[in-house]
Amino acid sequence: MDCEYLKNKRILLVDDEQELLDMVVSILKEEGFCNIWTAKNVKDALSVAAAVEPEIAILDVMLPDGNGFHLMEQLKQNGVYPILFLTARGEDEDKFKGFGLGADDYVVKPFLPKELVFRIMAILRRSYKDESPLVKLQNSEIDFERAEVIKDGEHIPLTAKEHDILSALYRNAGRIVTIDALCEAAWGDNPFGYENSLMAHIRRIREKIEENPSRPVSLITVKGLGYKLMIGGK
C-alpha cells in the first residue's frame, strides 16, 4: 500500500532559500502531498507551527535568525512529531548533533528527489503506523497494511497482484483507471499483453470484496475504458 493517508499529513518546511522551498514543494506535490506550509526563518517557523500544528517538520540547519537545532528544540516543546534535517551541512558532527537531539533523519544537499520522498515516507510510516485506515466499501473493508479484505467478519488475504491493483484503484477512488494503468501497476514498465490476466484478477478481487460478484457495486467496469473503485459504507 502506498499509504496515501500519510500524504495528507501536515508538513512544515523551513529553509531560507526560496528556490529550495519551491523545488521541495514541487517535488512533494508531484508525489501527492497536499498539506505543505513553508517558512524562511525561526520566527516564522514557530508562528506557522503554532497555527497549523504540523505532523512532520523538514528543517535547514543554517537559518537567518538562528539554527535548525535550536528550532527543533522549540518545536518539540509544543508538539511531538518527527523532524528531518535537509541541509548543506554534511559534517559528521552536525549529523551526530541532529540525531542526538532527537531528529528522525538527516539528508544532505544536494539530494535526489526520490530519496527525499522515500525518507519522508519511511518516517511517516514509522511515526503513524497505527493510523492506517480501513477502506470501507459497500459490503466489505480493505486493510491495505495487512493485505486483506474483511467481509462478514472473515479476513480474506490478498495476493500481491490483487494488492497492487486495488492500491492503484484506491489512489484514484471514484475515477476511471485505464486497463493499461492497472496492468502497469501490477506488472511494471512492460504491461502489454496482460489484459486477460488483469480480468482474471479483477474477477477474483470481486469474489473477495463484493456480496454478489456478478453484480458489483464497489469495483465497477467502465466499458471500453477501465475500472473504478467506489468508496463508501452501506
Side-chain angles (χ1 to χ4, degrees):
M1 171 59 172
D2 280 346
C3 298
E4 294 300 304
Y5 73 104
L6 293 175
K7 294 182 179 178
N8 290 320
K9 295 297 182 184
R10 297 181 297 278
I11 298 174
L12 171 61
L13 173 62
V14 184
D15 197 291
D16 61 338
E17 296 182 29
Q18 187 64 50
E19 185 177 349
L20 188 284
L21 289 177
D22 293 342
M23 181 180 68
V24 175
V25 169
S26 177
I27 290 168
L28 294 178
K29 285 188 173 181
E30 188 173 326
E31 292 293 332
F33 293 91
C34 53
N35 291 317
I36 308 166
W37 280 263
T38 64
K40 298 177 74 171
N41 54 56
V42 171
K43 180 181 177 182
D44 290 348
L46 293 172
S47 177
V48 172
V52 306
E53 298 181 351
E55 292 163 288
I56 182 172
I58 302 171
L59 312 179
D60 192 5
V61 171
M62 298 301 296
L63 295 168
D65 56 346
N67 65 71
F69 299 134
H70 186 220
L71 173 58
M72 179 175 71
E73 292 178 316
Q74 292 176 282
L75 291 173
K76 285 184 172 291
Q77 290 175 7
N78 298 307
V80 179
Y81 46 86
I83 304 286
L84 180 149
F85 280 107
L86 180 62
T87 177
R89 293 177 64 97
E91 293 84 358
D92 288 343
E93 183 179 343
D94 288 320
K95 292 182 181 180
F96 295 152
K97 184 173 182 179
F99 285 122
L101 290 171
D104 293 84
D105 207 343
Y106 197 107
V107 177
V108 178
K109 305 172 189 174
F111 57 89
L112 295 174
K114 282 291 185 184
E115 179 188 5
L116 178 62
V117 172
F118 288 152
R119 298 242 194 158
I120 291 171
M121 287 301 296
I123 292 171
L124 290 174
R125 286 191 185 98
R126 291 196 302 268
S127 301
Y128 300 103
K129 61 184 178 181
D130 294 331
E131 294 184 11
S132 179
L134 293 177
V135 177
K136 295 183 183 297
L137 306 179
Q138 187 71 20
N139 298 293
S140 61
E141 297 176 326
I142 306 171
D143 187 335
F144 281 104
E145 198 73 18
R146 293 179 171 80
E148 64 184 20
V149 171
I150 304 168
K151 185 171 70 174
D152 298 328
E154 182 182 1
H155 291 249
I156 308 166
L158 293 167
T159 67
K161 289 289 187 286
E162 291 167 355
H163 188 277
D164 290 341
I165 292 165
L166 278 171
S167 294
L169 288 162
Y170 175 56
R171 289 197 297 272
N172 298 277
R175 300 193 298 269
I176 298 170
V177 183
T178 65
I179 291 171
D180 286 347
L182 289 174
C183 287
E184 184 174 348
W187 287 280
D189 294 335
N190 187 19
F192 303 106
Y194 288 101
E195 290 85 353
N196 290 336
S197 294
L198 175 65
M199 291 176 62
H201 282 88
I202 292 289
R203 183 170 62 250
R204 287 194 287 272
I205 289 171
R206 283 176 170 155
E207 290 171 355
K208 295 179 180 183
I209 69 173
E210 303 282 5
E211 185 173 351
N212 183 352
S214 300
R215 302 184 67 180
V217 295
S218 295
L219 180 45
I220 308 298
T221 300
V222 183
K223 193 171 182 179
L225 294 175
Y227 300 89
K228 60 182 177 180
L229 186 68
M230 307 304 295
I231 303 297
K234 295 181 180 180

